[in-house]
Amino acid sequence: MTKRVLSSVFCFMLCLCMMPVTMLADRGREPLYVLNLDKPLKTAVDYTDRFFKGRYLQVKATVSAGSNVGLTVYMDKNEQADGDDRVVYDESFDNVQGQFISPEIFLEYKGSATIPYRVELSVNGTTVQSTYVYRMLLTIKNKTVCTRGIRFRDIKPRLTDEWMMFTPIDLNSINPDRGAAELELIASNMYHVGQLIIRRNQDQFCLSMVDIDTYNDEHWIEEEESEFKYAPDTSDHKVEFGDQYICFYPNLDAVKNVSRDSMPKRFYLNKWYSISEDLGGRGEQLLYLNGVISYDPNGLRRIDDSFQSSYVQELVDLMNSFE
């Protein structure tokens, strides 16, 4: 390689390293939200348009030719300028010629809710715009779903350090004359995404799943209102169930591993089984579901049961009563 080529490569790498980090962010196929500060906020639709699903923000504004522009973006959870605000971007741009277009700004925050960001634009040292945008959550793909219950790591930590849960259930307590019981389905250790329904007909039982939107529609359950006045409708959570792995354990000592491949016998959805033949006549079981799910988390109810919570402790007592 010639000295001229080496020199060119070195200069290119040096320029690359000197570029702002936000310009180097690899957005890939993630959406980019463009905030046009020239567009006034007049209607409810204009305010709703300030909500976006993504992590990348770009700001545009018209300024006088030759202006010095400053752009600051704050994470402002309570929508009040105070000491709790966190600066996530702060840059100055000299001699802007008419149209200001910021780099793509990566909003790095691992949260589970809509987050307000305050965008402030200054021209020649004077703040001319201060407005809010709202980063919503991206659709979550191919994550784990379990029934709401006891985390294995809380009661038998040597099994796993992951969050997977199991639920003690007494099938004998379900009305044998076409009775049913329901368990909440929890995705990603927090989101209520649907229900597991256990139907019984004498010695037979059958498992089925329903997503939260279908369940709410069937039971006329209204979603909780958003804390943000102009938040967009989030009634369609686009829940897609993938492969579901389900098994039953007679007690906790029988659980040797929580991986899907280690299940002693896989039970399938929408298939009838026999308590006497498939569960050895024992209706008191630990139900373990480890499935795959994709969904839009915006607007979903979040559940975070600690091991000390009354809900979990009642399940522990139920499990102990099986012995």
Side-chain angles (χ1 to χ4, degrees), residues 7 13 31 38 41 75 142 195 202 209 314:
S7 178
M13 295 301 294
D38 294 337
L41 291 171
M75 182 193 297
N142 299 321
Q195 300 289 105
Q202 304 307 319
M209 292 172 64
E314 287 177 6

Side-chain angles (χ1 to χ4, degrees), residues 57-117:
L57 168 69
Q58 187 176 64
V59 180
K60 293 184 177 182
T62 301
V63 298
S64 300
S67 295
N68 296 325
V69 176
L71 178 65
T72 307
V73 181
Y74 301 87
M75 182 193 297
D76 184 359
K77 293 183 179 181
N78 60 5
E79 297 182 78
Q80 293 180 359
D82 54 32
D84 293 331
D85 300 343
R86 182 164 72 85
V87 176
V88 297
Y89 185 83
D90 187 22
E91 291 290 342
S92 298
F93 306 85
D94 297 333
N95 195 28
V96 176
Q97 298 302 312
Q99 183 67 33
F100 170 72
I101 302 177
S102 78
E104 296 181 2
I105 302 167
F106 180 54
L107 305 176
E108 183 177 9
Y109 177 68
K110 297 179 180 179
S112 58
T114 297
I115 301 298
Y117 288 84

Side-chain angles (χ1 to χ4, degrees), residues 70-280:
L71 178 65
T72 307
V73 181
Y74 301 87
M75 182 193 297
D76 184 359
K77 293 183 179 181
N78 60 5
E79 297 182 78
Q80 293 180 359
D82 54 32
D84 293 331
D85 300 343
R86 182 164 72 85
V87 176
V88 297
Y89 185 83
D90 187 22
E91 291 290 342
S92 298
F93 306 85
D94 297 333
N95 195 28
V96 176
Q97 298 302 312
Q99 183 67 33
F100 170 72
I101 302 177
S102 78
E104 296 181 2
I105 302 167
F106 180 54
L107 305 176
E108 183 177 9
Y109 177 68
K110 297 179 180 179
S112 58
T114 297
I115 301 298
Y117 288 84
R118 190 173 77 253
V119 178
E120 292 189 352
L121 186 80
S122 64
V123 177
N124 298 325
T126 300
T127 300
V128 296
Q129 290 266 18
S130 181
T131 191
Y132 284 90
V133 294
Y134 302 84
R135 185 190 67 81
M136 302 175 72
L137 299 170
L138 291 167
T139 298
I140 298 175
K141 298 287 188 180
N142 299 321
K143 295 299 182 180
T144 301
V145 61
C146 295
T147 54
R148 183 183 180 186
I150 307 168
R151 294 180 183 87
F152 283 106
R153 69 185 182 193
D154 289 339
I155 199 164
K156 200 172 181 180
R158 66 178 180 80
L159 285 174
T160 183
D161 59 0
E162 297 184 24
W163 67 268
M164 281 85 76
M165 295 181 277
F166 67 95
T167 308
I169 184 168
D170 184 1
L171 297 177
N172 298 321
S173 66
I174 303 174
N175 187 339
D177 189 14
R178 300 188 181 277
E182 296 182 4
L183 301 177
E184 292 167 308
L185 293 169
I186 306 300
S188 306
N189 197 24
M190 72 174 75
Y191 295 109
H192 180 202
V193 293
Q195 300 289 105
L196 177 73
I197 302 173
I198 308 170
R199 293 182 173 85
R200 186 178 170 196
N201 184 11
Q202 304 307 319
D203 182 56
Q204 306 291 307
F205 70 96
C206 178
L207 308 172
S208 62
M209 292 172 64
V210 60
D211 67 89
I212 190 63
D213 297 328
T214 301
Y215 183 84
N216 287 346
D217 288 343
E218 291 175 348
H219 293 78
W220 298 88
I221 299 175
E222 295 185 4
E223 287 212 342
E224 297 180 6
E225 291 188 8
S226 171
E227 62 181 299
F228 302 103
K229 182 177 179 180
Y230 297 103
D233 176 54
T234 57
S235 59
D236 181 6
H237 296 99
K238 299 177 176 61
V239 176
E240 295 181 4
F241 292 119
D243 290 338
Q244 305 300 317
Y245 296 80
I246 307 170
C247 71
F248 291 89
Y249 291 102
N251 52 57
L252 198 55
D253 290 337
V255 185
K256 306 301 180 184
N257 194 304
V258 298
S259 69
R260 294 165 181 162
D261 295 337
S262 67
M263 290 185 172
K265 175 180 179 178
R266 183 178 175 184
F267 287 72
Y268 292 85
L269 296 171
N270 305 311
K271 179 180 177 181
W272 287 93
Y273 291 94
S274 165
I275 296 175
S276 58
E277 295 181 9
D278 296 293
L279 296 178

